[in-house]
Amino acid sequence: MQNYGKFYQKPWKERINLISQNEKLTKDQIQILKSSAQNRFLGDTMIENYITDYSYPEGIAFHYLVNNKDYLVPMVTEEPSVIAASSHGASIIAKAGGFVASTSERLMIGQIILENVEDSKKLILEIKELTKNLLSVADRAHPSLKRRGGGARWLKTRILAKDLVAIDIAIDVQEAMGANMINTMLEAVAKKLEEVLNQQVLMSILSNYATECLARTTCKIPFELLSRNGIAGEIIAKKIAQAGRVAQLDTYRAATHNKGIMNGIDAVVMASGNDWRAIESGAHAYAARNGQYRGLSTWKLSGGYLIGELELPLPVGFVGGSIGIVPLVSINQKLMKITSARELESIIVSVGLAQNLAALLALVSEGIQKGHMRLQLKSLVIAAGADATEEDAIVDRMLQEGKRDADSAKKILRDYRKRDKNDRSQLE
Ligand code: NDP
């Protein structure tokens, strides 16, 4: 390891110099690192060892009609086709009357794991006796939450093994995601348990398996809205329902099915300043809630309609974490015209279902590659070195020649430039 000692204590300029020298970055690379560092104060506040800002593109998905309200949906993603597919899925559902979304209470579960338990049944009885007291210890550790109408709601115990007991405390987090608040509350309760019961605590932390903070959305699409390329809507609806069934039966398919749902969900979670790792882990745990990993959405046929449904844990915040400090997040909240975490949950779960519809529709009709191809080829030709004036021509050539790989992109670009040069020299 090169000399990076106390990197975190060095001023930003020194960090850049050090990393540039040690890693032998070129002048251009150093310039990119420096010019990308758009908000050094914010970066240094948010993370450790900050050097620069790594930016993702943000776009808007349209046609979202959720609970009779129209929304613009900002999405942050690096993947081509996600926003186009999202708008496409949403537009079909809007024509069918839109999404009907709902949310459960916003309770997050905090866990205190007790270890070296000698008599778990006795311990559980003692904890039961102390429940009221422990809940008020939790509330006193973050009193502003209770003042806002939230706070600790209930406590349950589970025996994990002969020597391990879990205490689950449900906390109403109001408008926040709640991780930091809960962790503070849990630590206070853990301390109390150690004092009163002389019981060893292994750890205290929130669970990302947010089964008490669920969002659900449904849509009801008449068959005729699904017809494609001369194929009747009813046939497509049946194929989508069949594809949904496969995702319930087969884990290989379910993982990809859910990846498609998360394409949309993560993009809005990021745009709204929320923690996408927290949402991802909760979603996948929920997909396996019955012992087998399954598709998060279901698609069924009923009386001339395709009925889609999606439910997953969505403990997103409207305040807290990085939400209040990243200016783009406030702009995105304004674009969405949302006023609460529940409203955000309703949008996000609906985006997941629209994304899923668009993917399944493409898969069972023209195949997924067709829609993706042009955007993916664009990324390929840019990686091959094409600039903005060349990009479209090279993509067209690749499509004409049926080429899809990086070597072909480079060769076509070389030929194009040679021809372009020849054409120019003939003109001169
Ligand atoms: P914060 O620590 O920022 O706490 C929420 C803040 O929002 C508090 O300061 C609270 O103020 C304020 N607030 C203002 N209005 C409200 C309201 N109406 N309802 C609720 N709070 C309000 O964030 P969280 O506790 O939400 O934690 C989220 C962060 O934790 C994320 O950045 C996440 O990445 C991170 N994290 C995630 C973990 C995980 O998922 N496993 C683990 C650890 C951290 P006041 O203080 O006055 O109550």
Side-chain angles (χ1 to χ4, degrees):
M1 176 70 75
Q2 305 272 11
N3 176 23
Y4 283 120
K6 300 263 191 281
F7 193 74
Y8 67 99
Q9 286 180 351
K10 298 192 192 305
W12 175 77
K13 267 193 186 152
E14 245 180 77
R15 288 184 201 163
I16 293 287
N17 288 341
L18 198 59
I19 210 148
S20 306
Q21 282 160 17
N22 284 352
E23 307 309 327
K24 301 189 175 36
L25 298 186
T26 64
K27 262 189 185 163
D28 286 351
Q29 288 169 332
I30 299 168
Q31 187 45 39
I32 290 171
L33 272 189
K34 285 183 176 169
S35 61
S36 300
Q38 289 289 316
N39 201 333
R40 280 155 40 190
F41 174 71
L42 192 60
D44 246 341
T45 313
M46 288 173 73
I47 63 161
E48 310 75 36
N49 296 346
Y50 169 82
I51 54 167
T52 193
D53 294 328
Y54 181 106
S55 71
Y56 267 36
E58 174 174 328
I60 301 282
F62 293 96
H63 310 301
Y64 274 92
L65 178 62
V66 182
N67 295 337
N68 294 319
K69 185 173 164 188
D70 283 313
Y71 291 98
L72 294 185
V73 182
M75 298 178 83
V76 172
T77 180
E78 88 299 349
E79 187 172 339
S81 301
V82 166
I83 297 179
S86 196
S87 301
H88 179 51
S91 75
I92 296 170
I93 295 168
K95 282 181 205 140
F99 300 88
V100 178
S102 57
T103 54
S104 70
E105 276 187 290
R106 288 181 46 79
L107 300 183
M108 287 292 279
I109 308 284
Q111 293 194 293
I112 299 174
I113 309 291
L114 307 173
E115 66 170 343
N116 297 326
V117 174
E118 279 169 15
D119 183 343
S120 53
K121 287 198 176 131
K122 180 168 163 271
L123 178 65
I124 285 174
L125 284 178
E126 287 170 341
I127 293 167
K128 227 178 196 169
E129 294 268 296
L130 282 172
T131 296
K132 220 172 146 196
N133 190 343
L134 294 176
L135 293 180
S136 76
V137 168
D139 281 338
R140 282 201 301 276
H142 199 107
S144 48
L145 191 55
K146 189 152 173 116
R147 279 202 299 277
R148 292 194 175 98
R153 290 286 180 259
W154 49 253
L155 175 157
K156 286 181 189 163
T157 47
R158 284 177 300 128
I159 298 174
L160 303 182
K162 211 166 142 252
D163 58 329
L164 288 173
V165 167
I167 304 182
D168 300 335
I169 303 184
I171 297 168
D172 180 335
V173 289
Q174 296 283 294
E175 292 298 323
M177 180 263 195
N180 290 322
M181 298 193 293
I182 293 174
N183 292 342
T184 308
M185 293 163 89
L186 293 176
E187 275 168 23
V189 176
K191 195 160 162 249
K192 188 79 180 173
L193 283 167
E194 281 171 335
E195 279 166 17
V196 178
L197 299 179
N198 196 25
Q199 173 56 55
Q200 241 174 291
V201 172
L202 176 65
M203 63 171 121
S204 341
I205 188 161
L206 96 156
S207 167
N208 288 111
Y209 189 29
T211 51
E212 309 298 320
C213 185
L214 297 175
R216 185 171 178 274
T217 197
T218 57
C219 64
K220 188 176 172 190
I221 310 169
F223 289 163
E224 59 269 20
L225 288 179
L226 295 166
S227 65
R228 284 285 165 294
N229 310 330
I231 311 172
E234 183 173 358
I235 293 174
I236 301 225
K238 280 183 180 158
K239 282 180 182 283
I240 290 175
Q242 190 73 311
R245 225 181 114 216
V246 174
Q248 295 299 313
L249 296 169
D250 177 40
T251 301
Y252 280 93
R253 175 60 206 145
T256 321
H257 182 95
N258 290 343
K259 193 275 180 183
I261 291 173
M262 300 314 285
N263 272 342
I265 288 185
D266 284 345
V268 193
V269 168
M270 282 177 80
S272 63
N274 276 287
D275 180 339
W276 54 269
R277 286 88 54 210
I279 300 302
E280 280 278 342
S281 63
H284 296 295
Y286 198 66
R289 64 192 177 283
N290 297 325
Q292 187 192 319
Y293 185 91
R294 298 177 196 278
L296 283 162
S297 65
T298 57
W299 292 96
K300 300 209 165 93
L301 304 173
S302 171
Y305 292 91
L306 176 69
I307 316 273
E309 191 179 317
L310 174 64
E311 181 180 82
L312 77 161
L314 270 183
V316 286
F318 186 65
V319 296
S322 66
I323 293 168
I325 55 176
V326 177
L328 259 178
V329 172
S330 314
I331 297 173
N332 289 340
Q333 287 183 339
K334 193 171 176 184
L335 293 177
M336 282 188 272
K337 295 195 181 66
I338 53 171
T339 54
S340 70
R342 281 173 188 265
E343 198 175 4
L344 179 59
E345 280 183 55
S346 298
I347 296 174
I348 295 175
V349 69
S350 300
V351 169
L353 193 62
Q355 213 75 41
N356 189 219
L357 173 67
L360 295 182
L361 193 57
L363 272 174
V364 302
S365 52
E366 66 251 22
I368 200 84
Q369 279 309 84
K370 192 176 169 213
H372 272 226
M373 195 43 72
R374 193 165 179 96
L375 280 165
Q376 276 170 357
L377 284 179
K378 268 192 174 190
S379 304
L380 205 64
V381 303
I382 287 169
D387 64 27
T389 61
E390 300 164 324
E391 182 188 303
D392 278 335
I394 309 299
V395 169
D396 287 342
R397 192 76 47 87
M398 291 193 73
L399 284 169
Q400 277 161 20
E401 295 183 17
K403 303 287 192 213
R404 306 283 185 260
D405 61 294
D407 283 347
S408 303
K410 283 183 195 151
K411 184 177 175 304
I412 291 173
L413 180 63
R414 267 197 312 273
D415 291 349
Y416 177 83
R417 284 182 176 165
K418 223 184 275 167
R419 213 167 307 153
D420 200 31
K421 213 170 157 191
N422 287 344
D423 289 351
R424 263 183 286 147
S425 60
Q426 274 169 17
L427 281 175
E428 280 159 8

